């Protein structure tokens, strides 16, 4: 739109030149007023053609000078710029984030005046440096209306009031150079570095009135950084975080002691099952589970990396589609990793997923339950699992599908999961390992063993054989007495000795 407006302004200048009377034509008109003999000698037609020719000469002589004046070259002193200006190239370039900040800082007129006075050098940060790499609190600080002066200082510190291309880059190290912001000097290093940023695209845009270099990060002046730190410290002490009412233990009727603070990077206090979101049987859409609020890890980026690794590795597109599109498990896994939990994913390949039937996937929550049985809340690699099964023979790993566990054993020099026909082998080891998430490829989909309650069968009546009466056992003294009576021939008289 701005380029079109400048084109319209240039076109209007040409129209004004066409309608204005050139000096030579005015001289001819004065000569026409002084004497009519010249007109009579040449004739009216010849006079009209001569005037038209003089008009063309005047226009051809006036156009270059007018364009040079509008070009804003060095020393021209004119505030206007043309479509070939470096400022127009900046607004139309792929450095859209910097161009947006220039407009929000209300610096268009200031930069137009600077370009009109002299050549400039602009260091333009790449869009990623302003979108993802910039601290969100610092970006919010810059965009607040009360911090407009800090935003203007930040933008003007990226502009030098002279032209420095890659060919004329200073050889001395470091080379201090003033900026349009004034104050702190910008130090240029001989290895194509400016401040703490590296020039990744030298001479990205070259125009007659300036040059643009692409840098990898934002240049933050010391005054802007100190202002931001001062505002942040004031915000930290001016607001008090709300705390809940003290809890009373119903058994002892005493106040419960608050939990000790968890150091950064320590394992979470809650088990992973308490931090999980409720399943589809509880809520139609999984709601976020209880979280600590302190995300020491970037779980979302790690989950995104491992899903991209599955796609680039090949053969695991179906699992990636279930995690991202069919369910919200990718988001839940990212939140769990951000809170400090670790996961091992047993990833079935596409051939295994293709063997699933419609009935196995059609029930509500079936995809989630299938994936939960393939998530182990431990960090295991192929080496650690193989060493475990070699040492203990059979290992039971907990899964996120309570209360089921997956059984692993050693088979054919590899790790075999499951039992019977529903078993799967470790097919692609260590597809992705980053210390928080481990992905191990398997060649089948695992299902927990069905819990079958055996029917109580009625046992047939069994006729017990008659129990023989056991003889009464005599003591040793009685036995000795009976033996003595037997030797005397009097044993038959006593019933006890019978």
């Amino acid at each position: 739109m701005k380029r079109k407006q400048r084109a319209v302004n240039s076109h209007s200048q040409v129209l004004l030149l066409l309608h204005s009377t050139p000096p030579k034509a005015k001289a001819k008109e004065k000569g026409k007023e002084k004497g009519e003999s010249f007109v009579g000698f040449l004739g009216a037609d010849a006079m009209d053609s001569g005037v038209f020719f003089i008009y063309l000469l005047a226009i051809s002589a006036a156009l270059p000078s007018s364009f040079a004046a509008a070009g804003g070259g060095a020393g021209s002193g004119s505030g206007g710029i043309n479509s070939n200006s470096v400022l127009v190239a900046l607004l139309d370039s792929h450095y859209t984030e910097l161009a947006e900040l220039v407009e929000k800082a209300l610096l268009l007129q200031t930069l137009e005046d600077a370009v009109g006075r002299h050549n400039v050098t602009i260091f333009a940060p790449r869009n990623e440096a302003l979108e993802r790499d910039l601290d969100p609190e610092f970006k919010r600080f810059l965009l607040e209306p009360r911090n407009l002066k800090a935003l203007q200082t930040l933008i003007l510190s990226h502009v030098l009031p002279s032209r420095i291309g890659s060919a004329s880059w200073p050889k001395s190290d470091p080379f201090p150079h003033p900026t349009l912001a004034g104050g702190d000097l910008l130090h240029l290093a001989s290895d194509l570095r400016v401040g703490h940023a590296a020039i990744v695209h030298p001479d990205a845009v070259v125009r007659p009135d300036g040059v643009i270099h692409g840098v990898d990060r934002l240049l933050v002046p010391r005054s802007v950084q100190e202002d931001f730190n001062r505002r942040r410290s004031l915000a930290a002490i001016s607001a008090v975080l709300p705390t809940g009412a003290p809890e009373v233990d119903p058994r002892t009727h005493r106040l419960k002691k608050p939990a000790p603070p968890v150091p950064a990077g320590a394992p979470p206090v809650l088990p992973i099952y308490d931090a999980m979101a409720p399943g589809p049987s509880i809520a139609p859409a999984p709601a976020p589970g209880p979280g600590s609020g302190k995300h020491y890890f970037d779980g979302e980026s790690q989950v995104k990396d491992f899903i991209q690794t599955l796609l680039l590795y090949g053969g695991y597109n179906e699992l990636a589609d279930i995690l991202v599109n069919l369910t919200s498990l990718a988001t839940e896994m990212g939140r769990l990793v951000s809170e400090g939990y670790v996961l091992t994913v047993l990833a079935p390949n596409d051939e295994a997923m293709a063997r699933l039937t419609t009935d196995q996937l059609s029930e509500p929550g079936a995809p989630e339950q299938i994936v939960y049985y393939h998530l182990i809340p431990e960090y295991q690699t192929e080496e650690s699992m193989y060493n475990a099964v070699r040492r203990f023979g059979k290992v039971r790993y907990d899964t996120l599908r309570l209360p089921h566990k997956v059984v692993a054993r050693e088979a054919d020099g590899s790790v075999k999961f499951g039992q019977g026909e529903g078993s799967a082998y470790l097919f692609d080891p260590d597809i992705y390992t980053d210390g928080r998430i481990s992905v191990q490829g398997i060649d089948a989909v695992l299902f927990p063993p069905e819990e079958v309650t055996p029917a109580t069968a009625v046992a047939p009546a069994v006729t017990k054989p008659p129990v023989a009466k056991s003889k009464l056992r005599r003591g040793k003294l009685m036995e000795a007495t009976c033996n003595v009576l037997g030797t005397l021939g009097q044993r038959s008289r006593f019933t006890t000795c019978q």
Side-chain angles (χ1 to χ4, degrees):
M1 181 62 71
K2 295 177 181 177
R3 181 177 292 180
K4 292 182 179 179
Q5 291 178 354
R6 292 186 175 88
V8 171
N9 293 336
S10 302
H11 185 62
S12 60
Q13 292 178 1
V14 176
L15 292 178
L16 289 175
L17 289 173
L18 288 175
H19 288 84
S20 61
T21 305
K24 293 183 180 180
K26 291 183 179 179
K28 289 296 182 179
E29 289 178 358
K30 291 182 179 178
K32 181 179 179 181
E33 293 175 358
K34 289 183 179 179
E36 299 293 331
S37 59
F38 183 71
V39 177
F41 178 74
L42 293 176
D45 296 337
M47 188 62 188
D48 293 339
S49 61
V51 171
F52 180 74
F53 181 73
I54 294 174
Y55 263 80
L56 291 179
L57 290 178
I59 292 172
S60 62
L63 281 176
S65 61
S66 64
F67 284 166
S76 63
S78 175
I81 59 175
N82 63 0
S83 60
N84 199 30
S85 172
V86 67
L87 182 57
V88 178
L90 173 64
L91 298 178
D92 293 342
S93 65
H94 60 275
Y95 299 104
T96 55
E97 292 293 327
L98 180 62
E100 184 179 354
L101 288 181
V102 169
E103 295 180 358
K104 290 182 179 180
L106 307 178
L107 289 177
L108 288 177
Q109 187 61 41
T110 304
L111 293 178
E112 285 183 5
D113 297 340
V115 172
R117 287 191 300 269
H118 41 64
N119 279 224
V120 296
T121 300
I122 301 176
F123 297 104
R126 54 192 180 91
N127 291 336
E128 292 79 4
L130 297 176
E131 288 178 350
R132 295 194 295 267
D133 300 344
L134 192 62
D135 185 7
E137 294 184 5
F138 184 68
K139 190 172 184 179
R140 193 181 308 114
F141 163 79
L142 293 176
L143 298 181
E144 290 180 356
R146 61 178 179 175
N147 301 325
L148 179 62
K149 185 65 177 177
L151 180 59
Q152 292 178 345
T153 304
L154 179 75
I155 298 300
L156 293 178
S157 63
H158 290 72
V159 184
L160 305 182
S162 61
R163 183 190 186 97
I164 302 179
S166 59
S168 59
W169 195 261
K171 304 300 181 182
S172 60
D173 196 5
F175 180 77
H177 200 286
T179 64
L180 291 184
D184 298 335
L185 300 177
L186 198 60
H187 296 275
L188 309 182
S190 58
D191 55 347
L192 288 182
R193 295 187 65 88
V194 48
H196 296 288
I199 298 180
V200 293
H201 296 293
D203 299 336
V205 178
V206 179
R207 292 294 184 269
D209 54 356
V211 62
I212 298 177
H213 301 296
V215 294
D216 62 344
R217 65 177 62 185
L218 191 68
L219 304 176
V220 182
R222 180 178 301 176
S223 59
V224 176
Q225 186 66 43
E226 291 177 353
D227 192 9
F228 168 66
N229 294 337
R230 193 181 309 111
R231 295 287 180 86
R232 182 168 55 178
S233 62
L234 289 176
I237 64 178
S238 61
V240 179
L241 293 176
T243 57
E247 297 182 6
V248 179
D249 192 350
R251 295 175 298 175
T252 61
H253 300 285
R254 294 181 181 179
L255 294 178
K256 289 184 178 180
K257 295 182 179 180
V262 180
V269 178
L270 290 175
I272 191 172
Y273 307 104
D274 294 337
M276 288 173 55
S281 59
I282 302 177
S292 62
K294 300 177 181 179
H295 291 178
Y296 300 112
F297 306 97
D298 191 1
E300 295 182 359
S301 298
Q302 290 178 280
V303 172
K304 185 184 297 183
D305 289 343
F306 108 75
I307 291 178
Q308 290 179 351
T309 303
L310 285 180
L311 297 177
L312 295 176
Y313 192 88
Y316 295 91
N317 298 334
E318 295 294 334
L319 178 62
D321 183 63
I322 290 178
L323 293 176
V324 177
N325 299 325
L326 192 58
T327 64
S328 59
L329 292 177
T331 304
E332 184 178 358
M333 292 172 62
R335 185 179 55 79
L336 292 175
V337 175
S338 298
E339 294 182 4
Y341 299 98
V342 293
L343 294 172
T344 298
V345 183
L346 302 180
N349 55 19
D350 289 344
E351 296 180 1
M353 298 297 290
R355 291 194 293 266
L356 292 177
T357 62
T358 306
D359 296 337
Q360 293 174 331
L361 297 173
S362 60
E363 296 182 3
E368 288 86 351
Q369 295 300 324
I370 292 176
V371 177
Y372 279 151
Y373 191 64
H374 292 76
L375 297 181
I376 300 175
E378 304 175 18
Y379 185 77
Q380 297 286 344
T381 61
E382 186 269 343
E383 182 179 2
S384 64
M385 289 190 292
Y386 184 73
N387 291 337
V389 297
R390 283 291 303 273
R391 181 178 180 182
F392 301 107
K394 181 187 297 185
V395 181
R396 295 178 179 270
Y397 292 105
D398 293 331
T399 66
L400 295 189
R401 184 175 178 178
L402 287 176
H404 301 288
K405 298 184 178 182
V406 60
V407 180
R409 60 172 58 86
E410 192 270 339
D412 301 332
S414 180
V415 182
K416 181 180 179 181
F417 300 96
Q419 298 176 353
E421 297 180 355
S423 59
Y425 285 88
L426 185 57
F427 189 69
D428 291 323
D430 297 339
I431 297 178
Y432 179 86
T433 53
D434 63 355
R436 312 297 304 176
I437 300 176
S438 172
V439 182
Q440 309 294 330
I442 57 178
D443 60 353
V445 179
L446 299 174
F447 290 95
E450 298 181 358
E451 298 180 355
V452 180
T453 57
T456 58
V458 180
V462 179
T463 58
K464 296 182 179 180
V467 179
K469 293 182 179 181
S470 60
K471 293 184 179 181
L472 295 178
R473 183 179 179 184
R474 297 187 294 267
K476 291 184 178 181
L477 181 60
M478 181 62 71
E479 188 71 26
T481 305
C482 292
N483 292 334
V484 172
L485 292 174
T487 57
L488 299 176
Q490 302 296 328
R491 182 175 185 132
S492 60
R493 290 187 173 188
F494 299 91
T495 57
T496 309
C497 294
Q498 298 298 327

